[in-house]
Amino acid sequence: MEDKKIKVGITHGDYNGIGYEVILKAFEDPMIFDLCTPVVYGSQRIASHYRKLLELPQGPTQRIDSAADAKDSTLNIINVIGDDEPIEPGKQTEAAGRAARAALERAVADLKAGEIDVLVTAPINKENVQSPEFHFPGHTEYLQSALADDKNRHALMIMADDNGLRVALATIHLPLAKVASGLSTDLIAARLEEFNRSLVRDFGVHSPRIAVLALNPHAGDGGLLGKEETDIIEPAIARARSQRIQAFGPYSADGFFGAGHQRKFDGVLAMYHDQGLIPFKALCGNRGVNFTAGLPYVRTSPDHGTAFDIAGRNEADPQSLRHAIYMAIDALRNRRRHDEAFASPLPKLYQERSARND
């Protein structure tokens, strides 16, 4: 099964950002075509524009109408917008927001239809992408709505690098003033369960150890600086441990990362966005990948934004997108191996017995 070339769908994100630059640069190395067949949802015209603007080498590219028409060893591009959209590097425009939505919606439809195997998303601008049909604060929440097959499971945002650091978030794109009220024992316990499942199935970690960060400074100092640790987080950890999940904490975030304790664990659950992403990005640089767990499909993205400030300047580093592609491929392979290993043995046993009796 792993011998089959994996078809990777890639959305162009906000085309006025660095999406096309990192996509084109990522596929300059022909070796990446040995691992996958890429399908870019965007615009061949815009891709050609950025290739010329940035003076990038001409690589194998073809326009296709359907992911089923994708060919190996070339960058396949499906046009999801017309050929007259204005290209304005570094600017936030309504046209780019519409194009980002169109690419995402087409890619998700193809993912559900089995036309592509995994999804990698280039960065969007969270403001101009909004519309009456798209009212989500980010990719993760949209994908939860569009792809989740179990309403009792929720998409989990995991930042991961190739050195084994994986930081998941209990709350994602939530205003800081609402984080404390947004936490509950049920939420954190569910996040731990999903994190543990993903570490095993997507990352191939046997019996993962998960550290849980505190919400308050000094882990609340016994209630002096807050009671969320004793009232909410500790009961969630206890519940997880009763389900044979190896969860530990809560740890004060500054001391935890300052002392390098993340190296002792397979995953770290942070309580809110910046608590987890600031140390992750400081430690991982351009190697980081945003992985979405809790969905029936594999989705990754680079850990950076649209970077309007350097768009069109040939300064963007494609390393994070390249790692996102590699991680999506690895996660799909891990899932296939895991699901095959833990599939019910009865049908296979029945077939083997029938063959012996013939």
Side-chain angles (χ1 to χ4, degrees), residues 301-321:
S301 74
D303 73 345
H304 56 71
T306 55
F308 285 146
D309 57 323
I310 62 170
R313 298 184 182 181
N314 202 9
E315 297 177 10
D317 188 336
Q319 188 172 189
S320 183
L321 178 69

Side-chain angles (χ1 to χ4, degrees), residues 263-336:
R263 292 189 291 268
K264 301 176 183 178
F265 296 90
D266 301 296
V268 180
L269 180 66
M271 292 298 104
Y272 58 93
H273 188 278
D274 284 12
Q275 184 189 51
L277 267 61
I278 288 174
F280 178 86
K281 292 187 177 183
L283 291 167
C284 298
N286 294 324
R287 303 189 314 273
V289 175
N290 181 356
F291 181 90
T292 305
L295 299 176
Y297 306 93
V298 172
R299 176 263 175 168
T300 64
S301 74
D303 73 345
H304 56 71
T306 55
F308 285 146
D309 57 323
I310 62 170
R313 298 184 182 181
N314 202 9
E315 297 177 10
D317 188 336
Q319 188 172 189
S320 183
L321 178 69
R322 192 178 292 121
H323 280 286
I325 295 169
Y326 294 154
M327 188 173 292
I329 295 169
D330 287 343
L332 181 63
R333 289 174 172 172
N334 287 336
R335 282 191 181 187
R336 288 173 173 174

Side-chain angles (χ1 to χ4, degrees), residues 14 53 77 81 92 117-118 142 185 203 225 260 301 343 345 352:
D14 190 305
L53 175 67
I77 301 179
I81 57 174
Q92 176 181 310
D117 298 308
V118 297
Y142 169 77
T185 296
F203 293 94
L225 301 178
S301 74
E352 290 175 348

Side-chain angles (χ1 to χ4, degrees), residues 63-93:
R63 175 178 172 176
I64 58 175
D65 295 323
S66 167
D69 301 326
K71 295 181 180 179
D72 294 341
S73 302
T74 190
L75 193 63
N76 302 278
I77 301 179
I78 296 177
N79 278 12
V80 298
I81 57 174
D83 288 332
D84 56 353
E85 298 289 359
I87 306 171
E88 303 177 82
K91 293 186 178 181
Q92 176 181 310
T93 66

Side-chain angles (χ1 to χ4, degrees), residues 118-135:
V118 297
L119 176 63
V120 178
T121 58
I124 59 174
N125 178 278
K126 293 179 175 59
E127 184 175 349
N128 69 6
V129 79
Q130 299 299 316
S131 76
E133 296 77 31
F134 191 103
H135 47 80

